[in-house]
């Protein structure tokens, strides 16, 4: 199992569609036992929250966010925690919107420096 996510910051490696997370979004993760949660914001997202559970290197969570245009959105995501060769952590995500149409994949990782 990769090390704890508690206190770690993650950023997307690429922009998503407008109204979603992008390279300006910052995720601040917390972890206690098998529980994981995070606050996020930046770019088109004013404020977002995720909450879920972790089993070994897999995370299963729900997310909800408030966008700059005043709309809200929510969904479900599973992530695989991996460690990069330089020691930073990466989350490979597979997500599905529950409040609207759409699904996809994304990657977030600890920023350099």
């Amino acid at each position: 199992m990769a090390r704890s996510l508690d206190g770690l910051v993650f950023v997307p490696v690429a922009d998503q569609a407008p109204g979603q997370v992008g390279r300006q979004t910052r995720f601040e993760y917390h972890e206690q036992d098998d529980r994981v949660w995070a606050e996020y914001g930046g770019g088109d997202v004013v404020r977002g929250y995720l909450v879920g559970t972790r089993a070994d290197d897999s995370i299963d969570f729900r997310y909800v966010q408030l966008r700059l245009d005043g709309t809200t959105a929510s969904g479900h995501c599973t992530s695989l925690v991996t460690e990069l060769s330089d020691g930073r952590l990466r989350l490979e995500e597979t997500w599905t919107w529950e409040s609207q149409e759409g699904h996809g994949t994304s990657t977030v990782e600890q920023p350099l420096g």
Side-chain angles (χ1 to χ4, degrees):
M1 183 162 123
R3 68 181 188 272
S4 173
L5 304 175
D6 195 51
L8 300 182
V9 172
F10 289 84
V11 297
V13 299
D15 285 325
Q16 299 292 320
Q20 299 181 28
V21 301
R23 293 181 57 84
Q24 295 179 357
T25 309
R26 298 289 179 268
F27 294 80
E28 296 182 25
Y29 270 79
H30 309 279
E31 182 174 358
Q32 182 178 11
D33 301 322
D34 64 346
R35 299 178 305 258
V36 175
W37 65 100
E39 301 88 24
Y40 63 97
D44 288 340
V45 178
V46 174
R47 184 174 309 273
Y49 298 97
L50 65 85
V51 61
T53 57
R54 180 174 179 179
D56 297 316
D57 291 333
S58 296
I59 305 169
D60 185 278
F61 65 85
R62 293 289 194 293
Y63 58 90
V64 62
Q65 62 190 34
L66 172 64
R67 299 172 175 151
L68 282 175
D69 66 5
T71 61
T72 61
S74 61
H76 174 251
C77 183
T78 57
S79 296
L80 177 64
V81 182
T82 60
E83 188 168 341
L84 300 171
S85 61
D86 62 8
R88 293 178 299 130
L89 294 184
R90 169 182 281 175
L91 305 179
E92 298 285 347
E93 304 174 322
T94 302
W95 49 267
T96 302
W97 289 110
E98 295 179 331
S99 61
Q100 63 190 40
E101 294 294 318
H103 59 88
T105 60
S106 56
T107 302
V108 297
E109 59 188 36
Q110 289 182 271
L112 290 169

